[in-house]
Amino acid sequence: MTRALYDLSFADLEGELTASGLRPVHAKALWRAVHREGELDLGGREDFLPPLRRWVGEGRFATGLPPVSAEMASGDGLTRKFLLRLDDGQEVETVLMGYPGRYTACVSTQAGCAMGCVFCATGQMGFARHLRAGEIVAQVLHCRRALGPAGGLRNLVLMGMGEPLHNYDAVMAALGIITDRRGINIGPARITISTVGVAPGILRLAAEQQPYGLAVSLHGASEEERSALVPASRRWPLVELIAACRDYGRLTGRRIFFEWTLIAGKNDSTETAARLARLLRGIDAHVNLIPLNPTGAFDGDAASAQAVRDFQRVLRDAGFPATVRQRRGIDVAAGCGQLRAAKRSRE
């Protein structure tokens, strides 16, 4: 299989050119064409100097974006979901969400997921493999291409298929490419990594002072409550996870966003909200409340609007910012917890 140019950092690209007898200065033009301009036909670039044109023509690296197996748009026209086919036949879903004056891309980091959250469609499908750095980068480039000349891609969330901190090295390599100012140039402050609670990964983010936002999917305020919904809690128990979050806040000074999927009769009571407030005491935390999005393999209902308001009120009274996430793309299964590598038709 031909290696992908998207897998290379700028330094890697300079090294490959140097190893082929070219001056590393050619990396600037090639990087700009690939990552800033989204060029796919590198062989047709007349602005490349002859040595670079010859090197490109040798076909050492692939540059094509993953083909689209299916594309779905929500009824309100604000959300588009793409099913992308990778070189080995695996498929991942990427979501593009429109907001006033900007777009956010939600990208996948694995084909499937090993974490097994019971209400999540990706967890229900199981784990296939990690994505390479270039396969993560390619999703962002695809979204920019889908937006066309108008552009507007400003934010990136690693909340698609997979657990980013389970694929840590590839994710960090991809984000290094995505944030490079000579190319895609999405600022680290506009990037959020969402984890189900991989405590060692959270501690590694802190130790390395990674500049990205952190969102932790919590969903339960006691070990019994959480492990029933999030099997990974048996590997990284709640007490270990919260300790890692406290260390992260202390070492980085960054706020943590805690994601809470509200499921009727499971974790939506005001008593649970009070336990959550006590659990997070002393952490610079913002709680994102997400009424459950439906998936075929989970028999549960979203919390009622009144239960959501009551839960939010308890948290706010305890001094925690708490917002209810705007639901997007539910009609095309593009909402939180609904991504699964399968073609669907709108009903």
Side-chain angles (χ1 to χ4, degrees), residues 46-259:
E46 296 184 358
D47 58 324
F48 286 178
L49 294 175
L52 182 57
R53 283 205 299 271
R54 287 193 295 270
W55 187 85
V56 168
E58 293 170 1
R60 296 169 184 253
F61 294 91
T63 57
L65 294 174
V68 179
S69 295
E71 177 180 346
M72 288 149 278
S74 64
D76 61 12
L78 298 174
T79 301
R80 297 162 67 186
K81 183 174 73 169
F82 307 93
L83 181 64
L84 304 179
R85 179 176 290 274
L86 307 178
D87 289 343
D88 63 353
Q90 293 290 341
E91 293 181 318
V92 296
E93 293 191 333
T94 304
V95 179
L96 189 57
M97 298 169 285
Y99 299 90
R102 61 184 171 87
Y103 286 88
T104 294
C106 178
V107 305
S108 298
T109 56
Q110 296 174 318
C113 184
M115 299 297 111
C117 298
V118 298
F119 54 84
C120 175
T122 311
Q124 293 159 12
M125 69 178 282
F127 176 73
R129 70 169 174 86
H130 298 303
L131 298 192
R132 302 190 326 271
E135 291 172 325
I136 299 170
V137 172
Q139 294 174 70
V140 178
L141 291 171
H142 168 81
C143 287
R144 289 208 320 175
R145 192 173 187 84
L147 288 174
L153 182 59
R154 289 180 53 195
N155 301 300
L156 177 65
V157 292
L158 278 64
M159 297 181 180
M161 295 171 59
E163 164 55 60
L165 298 187
H166 187 206
N167 190 18
Y168 189 98
D169 291 333
V171 165
M172 291 304 125
L175 293 182
I177 294 168
I178 291 165
T179 57
D180 192 301
R181 293 183 178 181
R182 294 162 291 198
I184 298 173
N185 190 27
I186 297 178
R190 298 187 179 278
I191 296 174
T192 299
I193 298 171
S194 178
T195 177
V196 76
V198 180
I202 293 171
L203 293 174
R204 188 174 173 187
L205 287 172
E208 296 176 0
Q209 292 290 305
Q210 295 291 353
Y212 313 109
L214 175 64
V216 176
S217 295
L218 205 53
H219 313 309
S222 69
E223 187 58 49
E224 180 182 9
E225 184 178 69
R226 187 169 194 266
S227 60
L229 297 171
V230 183
S233 193
R234 298 166 196 151
R235 183 171 182 183
W236 300 290
L238 187 60
V239 63
E240 180 181 347
L241 171 58
I242 294 300
C245 290
R246 292 187 187 281
D247 286 345
Y248 176 91
R250 176 177 56 82
L251 292 170
T252 67
R254 294 179 177 277
R255 170 170 288 184
I256 300 174
F257 290 84
F258 288 93
E259 316 282 359

Side-chain angles (χ1 to χ4, degrees), residues 72-81 93 95-97 99 121 261 290-296 302 325-339 344-347:
M72 288 149 278
S74 64
D76 61 12
L78 298 174
T79 301
R80 297 162 67 186
K81 183 174 73 169
E93 293 191 333
V95 179
L96 189 57
M97 298 169 285
Y99 299 90
T261 296
I290 311 164
L292 176 72
N293 291 321
T295 61
R325 179 171 295 172
Q326 185 176 0
R327 304 179 86 187
R328 285 292 186 86
I330 307 304
D331 56 337
V332 291
C336 293
Q338 292 187 306
L339 299 189
R344 298 180 182 85
S345 60
R346 288 184 55 193
E347 298 179 354

